[in-house]
Amino acid sequence: MVFVSAVPIANLIRVARDAGIEVLAEVDLEDDYALPDGMPIDGIEFANPTLYATMPTEGSLQTLRRLWRTYRRGEDLPDGQTPWRNLFDLLAELRPWGPQDRLTREAREIIRDRLPFDDEVAVSLELEIWPTRSDERRNQWRREAQARVEAFGGNIIARSVISEIDFVYDALLVSMPAGAVREMLDNPAAPEGLATLDGLQFILPQTIAQSIPVEDEAGDAGPGHESRDRHDAQFDPELPARALLLDGTPIAAHPDLNDGVYIEDVHDLVRLSQVRQRRHATSMSSLILRGDLDADGVPVSDSRLLSVPVLVDNDNAAVSPESRLFVDVIHTALVAALEGQNPIAPDAFVVNLSIGVMNGHFTGRLSALARLLDWWAYRAGVLFVVSAGNVGDALTVSGINATAFEDAAIETRQALADEARRAQRHRRTLLSPAEAMNVLTVGAASTSSAAKGVGTLPAGVLSVHDAASVVPAVSSAAGPGAYRAIKPDVLAVGGRHDVRISSSGGNLNLRVANALPASGLLVAAPPQSSAVSGHRAWACGTSCAAALTTRSILQAAAALTGPDGAYEGQELPRRDMALLTRTLTVHGARWPESAADLRSSQMASGQHHEHAGAEVLSGYGYGLVNEDLMSEGPPKGATLVGLGTVRKDGARVFEMPLPQSLSNDRVHRSLLVTLAWFSPIDIARARYRLARLEAVAADEGDEPDKEWRLKMKGDVPTSNAITKGTVWSRRLSHARVLTPHIRRRCDHTNPSTMQRLFGWRTEPRRRHPLRHSRYAATGHRYPLRHSNRDREPLEDTANSVTVETFGVARRNGSRPSRFLR
């Protein structure tokens, strides 16, 4: 049954449970959902329609229907049914979960596009079973689904079951004749059809994960690059693999990668990929281990790379195995890598996923793959670096022809391309699983990491922005993510994206051109019989940006534990290192000038400052990754990092003593505070994220000071925008030059239970000539819902915090400081 309420109902789960009804899904509805007129709700203009999918027993279903009919007739409910009366007052609908819910419009469109003309040809579909924690009910629904599939002449290809206390996934990969699928699409409500099965939550097209098509990504490097930097390509085979690559199969013996990457063939896929086809994983390995080979190409510090192939390489791309559920492929790889008595990647804390799901654009519903990554991030304390995705469709610029566009000034071309991206953003959204909340999602900035000349572009290829500008790539998918969280989190170098132009019906289509020496990133590549050099190629895209971000994360990890590092000589646990580096990645990111210009132009056109900021965030996130700021403090500033654990409604306090050198100085001030955590999730709740953290500045008994005891004002992103995900990054500044005057506060904290945070222990306040600034990382945690009545105790939420102050003296005069604890 489906309950549609005007507002989220806090006690629905308790009322439903007492009535023998299990709530299986809670979903915020779209803004255009129309509530019935006359609903007796105060403030209905601010209503937030919410759908609850429930699975009652046969007895409770009959009772529910009887009570609803009585209520609709305006009659009094029987004694003891007041909770239902209160609930019914808020309901807009009460109806069965039907074919329109199981087979969404987006799914129907994709399935129809994939249908062959021949009705006898087999078509693969995914059937997701309701994620109840009752194994018995799921087994029954699975048998019913199998019987219905076989009745239509189909069969079961594969199944996957993940049944944990905090995560359930149960799905079938089925094959059905195209004719039967066509009938289902034409008449989904047919009584004996697949879409009317009660035990199915969703009917979906098969999840086909893929790398970026090679014709849009790489070209031969040409002569002169074959032997360059070969002397730098030595990796210590004794180094641990701190990064895991889930992709196709790399060429482990490539001269640029020798001893840097090794392969564990968990799924027996290596034999299916010919060496000459192993483009994508080889280029990703190259970027992670050595960066852009056209820059310095220096091997990454203190780490090797473990590759677990999850895609099969072919002549055009790398794609997921046809006979497997991709969620199961990823899950099995992570189990082998991170769990058990002999995990194959015991030292890995970061997982690079530079792949996306074909046609898997985010439309508001979290994909099963995104939910899996969120769950694994919290469960294992591992950081997933996920590419935002490249949009393969042409970007259409209206009202201009090729000649006029070619003749236009570069500023005009950029303005036209930016406007087209904004106008078509609903069709250029993130590719699954980039919408996941606990992952680091990386978009591509159209810029290169090496200093390159302007060069001459081939005929028909044009630049759409000035070489000095840093803007999101034309093909980089846009946010926001799930629950309007900031996505992509960051942009990273993805190679300059020039475009090929073609006219169509009075409009102009822009498609990203092949990577070129003047714009691309130089990567290791398979030998090609027709190539001049054969071992290197040019690449660009969000895959490259994600791989370079993984490299920066490994470099930051080495700085944290290396000489002069905040944790010098220590071997940090996986979760701590994952959270620290995730925090530093976001914390070090900065909006380029083009982002500020876009925000200003949007506000000048009449946009509200929140909407203007959201426009920028959907393309730029928190800004461009800065590897230097991830590894060292800023010039004339200091960066402090720390770890802690926050309990429900609790806090962790840290003091930030200002240096003696600022005691009497009048300085410009800015403060950046970044929190990151892995939240537990509840896949059945609209309140999917179960842990929310924020940082506050307050003294005992006072309300939090929004000016942070430094008379500072918040900069973009706004305080509202940063609260929706699992990274919280506040940027504050003060234009005036004043002498610092700061105090401290903690809220809801028991000092006796505090753990170390930012390298200081909680101690009684001591007077000091320079006042301290004391801030608290506070947590709001919602209880996990279990199928039984007992609320089990919750684990604490581990988190990492980074604070950066400008106007602070360096630790010594010769170079910027490493991170302080």
Side-chain angles (χ1 to χ4, degrees):
M1 294 293 289
V2 171
F3 297 76
V4 178
S5 70
V7 294
I9 305 174
N11 66 345
L12 172 69
I13 294 173
R14 177 180 55 78
V15 173
R17 184 179 58 206
D18 291 343
I21 298 174
E22 182 181 5
V23 177
L24 298 176
E26 179 183 353
V27 182
D28 286 335
L29 295 178
E30 300 294 334
D31 295 337
D32 57 359
Y33 180 85
L35 292 169
D37 294 334
M39 289 193 70
I41 299 173
D42 293 334
I44 193 168
E45 65 273 18
F46 304 111
N48 178 26
T50 305
L51 178 149
Y52 298 85
T54 67
M55 187 60 67
T57 62
E58 185 61 34
S60 62
L61 176 61
Q62 298 304 321
T63 301
L64 179 61
R65 285 175 170 169
R66 185 178 68 253
L67 292 175
W68 177 246
R69 287 194 296 268
T70 302
Y71 172 85
R72 295 295 297 271
R73 291 195 298 268
E75 301 173 3
D76 292 335
L77 298 186
D79 292 342
Q81 303 299 330
T82 301
W84 282 113
R85 156 77 64 180
N86 296 337
L87 185 149
F88 289 162
D89 283 341
L90 300 177
L91 288 188
E93 284 185 74
L94 178 62
R95 59 173 176 80
W97 182 268
Q100 74 275 20
D101 303 300
R102 294 187 184 90
L103 194 57
T104 65
R105 176 177 56 82
E106 293 82 9
R108 290 198 304 270
E109 290 176 354
I110 297 172
I111 294 171
R112 196 178 293 278
D113 285 344
R114 294 184 185 177
L115 282 180
F117 291 109
D118 189 346
D119 284 350
E120 300 301 317
V121 175
V123 174
S124 295
L125 301 175
E126 290 185 11
L127 310 181
E128 288 191 14
I129 309 295
W130 281 106
T132 175
R133 291 182 173 85
S134 170
D135 293 340
E136 181 180 352
R137 299 185 85 177
R138 292 203 320 274
N139 289 336
Q140 175 189 341
W141 293 333
R142 199 182 306 113
R143 289 192 296 269
E144 292 172 353
Q146 181 171 348
R148 192 68 59 91
V149 167
E150 291 174 349
F152 284 102
N155 64 284
I156 307 300
I157 300 174
R159 59 168 291 197
S160 175
V161 178
I162 306 170
S163 183
E164 302 285 347
I165 189 64
D166 54 352
F167 186 82
V168 176
Y169 172 76
D170 198 327
L172 298 172
L173 178 62
V174 305
S175 174
M176 292 179 58
V181 175
R182 204 183 317 274
E183 289 180 11
M184 177 186 69
L185 297 177
D186 292 340
N187 185 18
E192 298 301 319
L194 200 59
T196 57
L197 274 175
D198 289 339
L200 294 185
Q201 183 181 16
F202 294 112
I203 301 173
L204 302 166
Q206 182 181 7
T207 299
I208 302 175
Q210 63 173 1
S211 66
I212 301 168
V214 296
E215 61 267 17
D216 290 337
E217 181 181 289
D220 173 46
H225 292 280
E226 173 64 16
S227 60
R228 182 174 171 179
D229 296 329
R230 287 287 187 232
H231 60 282
D232 289 332
Q234 299 304 311
F235 294 88
D236 184 351
E238 300 302 317
L239 286 175
R242 303 190 188 280
L244 175 64
L245 176 66
L246 301 182
D247 207 288
T249 302
I251 303 175
H254 193 286
D256 286 324
L257 309 177
N258 202 14
D259 288 330
V261 59
Y262 64 98
I263 300 169
E264 290 286 350
D265 193 11
V266 172
H267 297 295
D268 192 27
L269 299 179
V270 172
R271 61 183 177 81
L272 303 178
S273 299
Q274 299 180 34
V275 172
R276 64 178 181 81
Q277 298 170 333
R278 299 178 184 179
R279 296 176 178 85
H280 194 262
T282 300
S283 62
M284 295 304 102
S285 301
S286 174
L287 289 167
I288 292 170
L289 291 171
R290 299 193 60 199
D292 182 1
L293 295 174
D294 203 33
D296 55 28
V298 174
V300 72
S301 304
D302 196 34
S303 179
R304 291 197 299 154
L305 178 66
L306 171 62
S307 168
V308 177
V310 295
L311 305 178
V312 178
D313 299 279
N314 59 41
D315 286 336
N316 297 317
V319 297
S320 51
E322 294 181 353
S323 60
R324 296 283 300 276
L325 288 156
F326 192 63
V327 168
D328 187 67
V329 171
I330 295 295
H331 178 67
T332 303
L334 293 173
V335 169
L338 305 174
E339 293 197 337
Q341 293 185 343
N342 297 298
I344 60 177
D347 301 300
F349 71 90
V350 58
V351 179
N352 191 92
L353 208 64
S354 288
I355 56 181
V357 173
M358 183 188 300
N359 306 123
H361 288 284
F362 179 60
T363 58
R365 187 184 78 87
L366 274 159
S367 65
L369 184 56
R371 300 195 303 269
L372 180 81
L373 297 189
D374 279 338
W375 177 69
W376 262 104
Y378 175 74
R379 173 188 176 96
V382 65
L383 174 59
F384 292 96
V385 178
V386 181
S387 56
N390 284 5
V391 181
D393 295 340
L395 181 66
T396 301
V397 181
S398 302
I400 191 170
N401 59 37
T403 302
F405 189 82
E406 213 169 336
D407 292 341
I410 191 68
E411 295 81 8
T412 302
R413 291 184 209 159
Q414 181 174 337
L416 289 169
D418 288 345
E419 181 59 35
R421 283 186 85 235
R422 290 193 292 273
Q424 298 161 50
R425 60 174 175 257
H426 62 286
R427 293 190 284 110
R428 307 179 74 82
T429 57
L430 301 170
L431 282 178
S432 172
E435 76 274 19
M437 191 166 285
N438 282 335
V439 310
L440 184 73
T441 303
V442 183
S446 180
T447 186
S448 297
S449 53
K452 298 176 184 288
V454 176
T456 301
L457 296 177
V461 176
L462 294 175
S463 293
V464 289
H465 64 86
D466 188 279
S469 298
V470 178
V471 299
V474 168
S475 60
S476 187
Y483 307 99
R484 306 203 68 78
I486 293 175
K487 294 287 177 179
D489 294 278
V490 291
L491 290 182
V493 170
R496 199 178 77 227
H497 284 53
D498 301 314
V499 300
R500 292 189 180 276
I501 61 175
S502 60
S503 297
S504 175
N507 298 322
L508 191 68
N509 290 332
L510 310 182
R511 293 185 182 275
V512 176
N514 291 357
L516 300 165
S519 57
L521 308 171
L522 189 62
V523 298
Q528 302 292 312
S529 59
S530 60
V532 176
S533 63
H535 290 294
R536 288 182 176 180
W538 300 102
C540 65
T542 57
S543 283
C544 300
L548 287 175
T549 301
T550 298
R551 174 183 171 82
S552 297
I553 285 169
L554 291 172
Q555 299 287 58
L560 284 168
T561 58
D564 294 330
Y567 300 90
E568 181 177 355
Q570 298 184 41
E571 189 66 34
L572 294 177
R574 174 191 294 141
R575 186 180 301 271
D576 289 355
M577 187 60 83
L579 285 169
L580 278 170
T581 51
R582 184 187 187 205
T583 308
L584 288 168
T585 305
V586 172
H587 188 81
R590 299 290 187 273
W591 274 9
E593 186 178 344
S594 60
D597 291 345
L598 174 58
R599 182 173 182 269
S600 298
S601 67
Q602 291 292 297
M603 293 180 65
S605 67
Q607 284 263 32
H608 186 272
H609 72 93
E610 285 279 2
H611 296 155
E615 190 76 56
V616 180
L617 290 170
S618 69
Y620 290 84
Y622 282 102
L624 186 68
V625 170
N626 186 318
E627 187 173 312
D628 291 339
L629 291 178
M630 291 172 63
S631 299
E632 292 189 340
K636 298 183 180 180
T639 300
L640 298 88
V641 297
L643 297 159
T645 301
V646 180
R647 296 182 179 180
K648 178 185 176 183
D649 296 324
R652 290 289 177 263
V653 181
F654 68 93
E655 287 184 339
M656 187 179 70
L658 295 176
Q660 190 69 33
S661 58
L662 284 184
S663 185
N664 296 306
D665 286 351
R666 293 167 62 84
V667 296
H668 291 284
R669 302 192 301 278
S670 65
L671 177 69
L672 282 72
V673 185
T674 304
L675 271 164
W677 65 100
F678 293 139
S679 174
I681 62 170
D682 188 339
I683 61 174
R685 300 285 302 276
R687 191 176 285 168
Y688 172 83
R689 177 191 62 172
L690 296 181
R692 177 171 63 88
L693 302 182
E694 60 182 349
V696 298
D699 283 323
E700 284 83 354
D702 292 347
E703 290 296 317
D705 180 8
K706 295 182 179 179
E707 295 185 343
W708 285 71
R709 303 299 190 235
L710 291 166
K711 300 296 182 183
M712 292 189 177
K713 299 295 183 183
D715 204 350
V716 287
T718 64
S719 57
N720 181 55
I722 64 178
T723 62
K724 303 180 187 302
T726 55
V727 174
W728 186 100
S729 187
R730 194 76 171 113
R731 287 120 198 263
L732 304 109
S733 61
H734 198 313
R736 295 177 59 193
V737 180
L738 294 173
T739 304
H741 178 84
I742 15 185
R743 300 186 67 186
R744 64 183 189 175
R745 169 194 161 99
C746 163
D747 202 9
H748 298 304
T749 306
N750 179 359
S752 65
T753 64
M754 284 189 186
Q755 299 177 3
R756 186 180 55 169
L757 186 62
F758 287 87
W760 292 284
R761 295 188 182 278
T762 305
E763 298 174 353
R765 293 185 64 175
R766 294 175 294 181
R767 296 293 178 184
H768 191 278
L770 269 177
R771 294 182 181 233
H772 293 70
S773 177
R774 193 178 192 186
Y775 305 118
T778 66
H780 306 276
R781 181 86 178 267
Y782 308 106
L784 290 168
R785 181 178 61 80
H786 297 290
S787 57
N788 58 15
R789 297 191 179 191
D790 297 328
R791 296 288 174 87
E792 298 185 7
L794 298 171
E795 298 179 4
D796 297 342
T797 301
N799 62 90
S800 169
V801 192
T802 297
V803 176
E804 181 176 301
T805 61
F806 285 90
V808 181
R810 297 182 181 182
R811 291 179 67 185
N812 60 56
S814 61
R815 60 181 176 80
S817 63
R818 290 286 192 185
F819 295 129
L820 307 177
R821 289 170 54 208

